[in-house]
Amino acid sequence: MELIIVTGMSGAGKSKAINALEDMGYFCVDNVPPQMLEKLAQLGRSARGEAQRMAVVVDARAGEFFADFSQALEGLRAGGYPFRLLFLDAGDGVLLRRYKEGRRRHPLLERSALTTEDAIRQERELLADARRQADFVIDTSLLSPAQLKERVAQTFLSAPGQGMVVQCISFGFKNGLPQEADLVFDVRCLPNPFYLPELRDLTGLEAPVRDYVMKWPQSQELLQRLYSLLDFLLPLYVREGKSQLVIAVGCTGGRHRSVAFAQALGEHLSALSLPVVVTHRDKDK
């Protein structure tokens, strides 16, 4: 039996995440009160076929029932029901903009919150413990719906078991840091292909750019030092029991140097027998 619990901020993309899991063959249930989690896990354990792979959404819409969320997770652990917790997040400003554009009411506005800003702040406080317990955190602030679907699919297709998933993300500093990153490496110190007209419109996935980025002695030395650092760190994270390690590599725009380096790190880490997911957040911006 495989159980994925999806939670997170309203407006952060939980519906899109659960749709992605449904497309992957999971039996999906939305807006589940925490008190029903153990019962659903029991059903999944006794079921056959796709119901053995279950994904459920538990969030602030549960109202006063959500107060028992942490207790419900402890009940799953005590009962021997394995699960993984996915938390979807986004910046407050992004969430506010999405609510204004979608003209939807925040679920907490029906209770104590006076404004949408108040509701977002209250929800973040309500979900703080859930975020701390999450096995996987995805910040959707700068992700398109298609990129979010890809991240969810890559994460759970690459990690059918309980082992640590390593995610290598390339990004552009001008677009903002990936908030879920555990380690951030800045490669803006390296020669920039952007200033060569023949390379400007290409990306770090293409050979001319990759070869240009990697031909410099400082690039090769930096890459080897990153390999050594990660070879040392990853076994420590695995020993700690970490479920997700997000390594972010940034350059100015996120199209050239960071893409080449994130791809190279992903290829190197794949040799360590860990699930590795490589994504390029700003490659097409």
Side-chain angles (χ1 to χ4, degrees):
M1 193 273 296
E2 184 180 358
L3 174 62
I4 297 173
I5 302 171
V6 180
T7 190
M9 297 293 292
S10 301
K14 298 188 298 294
S15 296
K16 295 178 177 63
I18 203 72
N19 289 341
L21 291 166
E22 188 171 30
D23 291 343
M24 292 163 57
Y26 284 83
F27 179 84
C28 296
V29 188
D30 191 15
N31 198 11
V32 174
Q35 295 81 357
M36 291 183 61
L37 285 175
E38 190 166 351
K39 182 63 176 177
L40 287 171
Q42 292 172 358
L43 290 173
R45 178 170 286 178
S46 62
R48 296 180 180 179
E50 71 170 10
Q52 288 188 317
R53 303 174 72 226
M54 186 179 296
V56 301
V57 179
V58 184
D59 57 25
R61 290 174 295 170
E64 62 185 28
F65 296 120
F66 191 81
D68 293 333
F69 184 60
S70 293
Q71 183 178 346
L73 297 184
E74 287 302 317
L76 290 175
R77 296 185 184 102
Y81 299 104
F83 67 89
R84 289 178 289 170
L85 181 59
L86 169 63
F87 192 98
L88 278 295
D89 203 354
D92 290 357
V94 174
L95 295 173
L96 182 61
R97 187 187 73 241
R98 289 175 182 173
Y99 269 99
K100 288 181 177 179
E101 291 175 350
R103 298 186 178 183
R104 296 178 58 239
R105 283 176 59 84
H106 193 284
L108 294 188
L109 279 177
E110 300 175 1
R111 304 183 186 105
S112 59
L114 298 177
T115 66
T116 303
E117 292 93 331
D118 293 335
I120 291 171
R121 183 173 59 254
Q122 290 180 16
E123 185 180 33
R124 195 168 293 285
E125 294 172 358
L126 180 67
L127 298 177
D129 188 60
R131 195 184 196 283
R132 282 192 294 269
Q133 295 191 60
D135 297 299
F136 305 100
V137 176
I138 298 178
D139 187 297
T140 68
S141 300
L142 297 170
L143 298 183
S144 68
Q147 287 176 317
L148 173 57
K149 182 175 181 179
E150 181 184 20
R151 284 282 298 277
V152 171
Q154 288 180 326
T155 297
F156 291 102
L157 287 176
S158 299
Q162 296 293 314
M164 184 177 75
V165 178
V166 181
Q167 297 198 359
C168 295
I169 302 174
S170 69
F171 72 96
F173 277 95
K174 72 176 185 179
N175 298 314
L177 283 165
Q179 294 303 307
E180 68 269 45
D182 298 296
L183 302 172
V184 178
F185 300 119
D186 182 354
V187 296
R188 289 177 294 182
C189 55
L190 302 175
N192 192 350
F194 176 82
Y195 295 109
L196 298 179
E198 66 273 21
L199 300 181
R200 181 173 301 168
D201 295 330
L202 303 179
T203 75
L205 293 178
E206 297 171 89
V209 173
R210 183 177 63 247
D211 293 345
Y212 177 86
V213 170
M214 296 301 182
K215 75 176 183 178
W216 308 97
Q218 59 266 43
S219 297
Q220 286 298 315
E221 182 171 354
L222 176 58
L223 189 61
Q224 294 303 318
R225 287 176 180 266
L226 291 178
Y227 287 165
S228 297
L229 176 63
L230 294 175
D231 287 349
F232 172 75
L233 287 176
L234 260 65
L236 301 181
Y237 285 122
V238 171
R239 192 179 310 156
E240 184 198 8
K242 193 172 179 63
S243 299
Q244 175 192 43
L245 181 71
V246 181
I247 302 168
V249 184
C251 61
T252 304
R255 286 179 50 85
H256 300 112
R257 294 164 292 179
S258 62
V259 171
F261 263 75
Q263 200 70 23
L265 292 180
E267 293 170 1
H268 174 79
L269 296 175
S270 295
L272 300 180
S273 301
L274 289 171
V276 178
V277 175
V278 181
T279 55
H280 304 294
R281 191 191 71 183
D282 300 333
K283 175 176 67 68
D284 299 318
K285 293 182 180 178

